[in-house]
Amino acid sequence: IDDSFGKLVSMEINKFADELSSDSPAPGGGSVSALMGALGASLSSMVANLTFGKKKWEPIYTEMCKISEDSQTLKDKLLKLIDEDTNAFNSVLEAYRLPTKTKDQENYKNKAILEGMKNAVDIPFNIIKHCYKVLECVSKVIINGNPNAISDAGVAAEIAYAGLRGALLNVEINLKEIDDIGYCNDIKKQSDK
């Protein structure tokens, strides 16, 4: 595993599942949403790669290469977001633990909470955007890819969509904690799009 990936991504699958099933609130749904998107991107790349090498698919070779490369890039971005989502949540928890004995401390804490909550929205919002791009890749391999791998493409679409919807749930719940109306409206508008 690439050194640029975090602690969660570097775990064995069974250990990640054990960590997820513990009483710790993070990792949670956001990290799982990023994982679903990464798995969808991996399957998208696989189907594109299975479409290479036969004469009947030579006319779409360049298109499948691009889909495979784009899917690999999206996979790596989504894998990084697994840890980033958990880190964002932990930052919010740390901000809530800050002292408030003085007015300056209270102001600092409120600012830290707001910044932390915005980050806890921005990360799953990025998951939404990347999962959407995975769905764009998958839609192309569903139409033009190797028909023997259509079920794999279907699974890719299903789990990328689950990742998108899961991340949207995280965005929506975290927006409720943010008083910045302009920011909230902008994120809602972009999410709807």
Side-chain angles (χ1 to χ4, degrees):
I1 304 251
D2 188 314
D3 289 338
S4 64
F5 293 119
K7 178 183 116 178
L8 295 173
V9 175
S10 299
M11 285 182 171
E12 294 175 357
I13 292 171
N14 62 317
K15 290 191 169 122
F16 178 80
D18 287 344
E19 179 68 23
L20 191 61
S21 67
S22 74
D23 62 355
S24 173
S31 293
V32 170
S33 296
L35 176 59
M36 293 298 97
L39 293 174
S42 297
L43 280 170
S44 173
S45 181
M46 180 190 88
V47 175
N49 289 331
L50 288 172
T51 309
F52 299 160
K54 295 201 176 176
K55 278 190 174 185
K56 68 179 177 178
W57 288 316
E58 279 181 19
I60 60 170
Y61 176 81
T62 302
E63 178 188 8
M64 289 297 128
C65 284
K66 176 145 179 41
I67 291 168
S68 178
E69 290 170 9
D70 290 348
S71 296
Q72 289 289 339
T73 299
L74 289 165
K75 175 198 66 162
D76 289 344
K77 288 179 179 180
L78 284 156
L79 284 173
K80 288 180 181 180
L81 287 167
I82 292 171
D83 280 281
E84 286 182 26
D85 186 79
T86 293
N87 294 340
F89 182 80
N90 288 334
S91 293
V92 170
L93 291 180
E94 288 172 20
Y96 273 106
R97 293 183 189 123
L98 290 170
T100 56
K101 293 178 181 172
T102 68
K103 189 68 173 164
D104 285 344
Q105 285 179 335
E106 186 177 334
N107 288 338
Y108 180 79
K109 178 179 180 175
N110 289 337
K111 184 179 177 188
I113 290 170
L114 178 61
E115 288 175 9
M117 289 306 301
K118 283 184 176 181
N119 193 37
V121 167
D122 291 342
I123 299 297
F125 183 70
N126 279 330
I127 296 168
I128 290 170
K129 291 192 292 188
H130 293 320
C131 285
Y132 185 82
K133 290 176 184 175
V134 171
L135 288 168
E136 289 178 327
C137 290
V138 172
S139 68
K140 293 172 187 169
V141 295
I142 286 173
I143 294 167
N144 294 320
N146 184 333
N148 295 324
I150 190 70
S151 61
D152 298 302
V155 172
E158 291 288 345
I159 61 176
Y161 185 64
L164 186 151
R165 292 285 301 145
L168 180 60
L169 292 172
N170 279 283
V171 165
E172 290 172 345
I173 196 153
N174 290 335
L175 282 176
K176 292 178 182 180
E177 302 297 320
I178 297 175
D179 293 334
D180 184 338
I181 304 229
Y183 171 83
C184 291
N185 287 339
D186 183 50
I187 292 291
K188 286 177 190 175
K189 185 177 180 181
Q190 289 183 62
S191 294
D192 288 344
K193 186 178 175 186

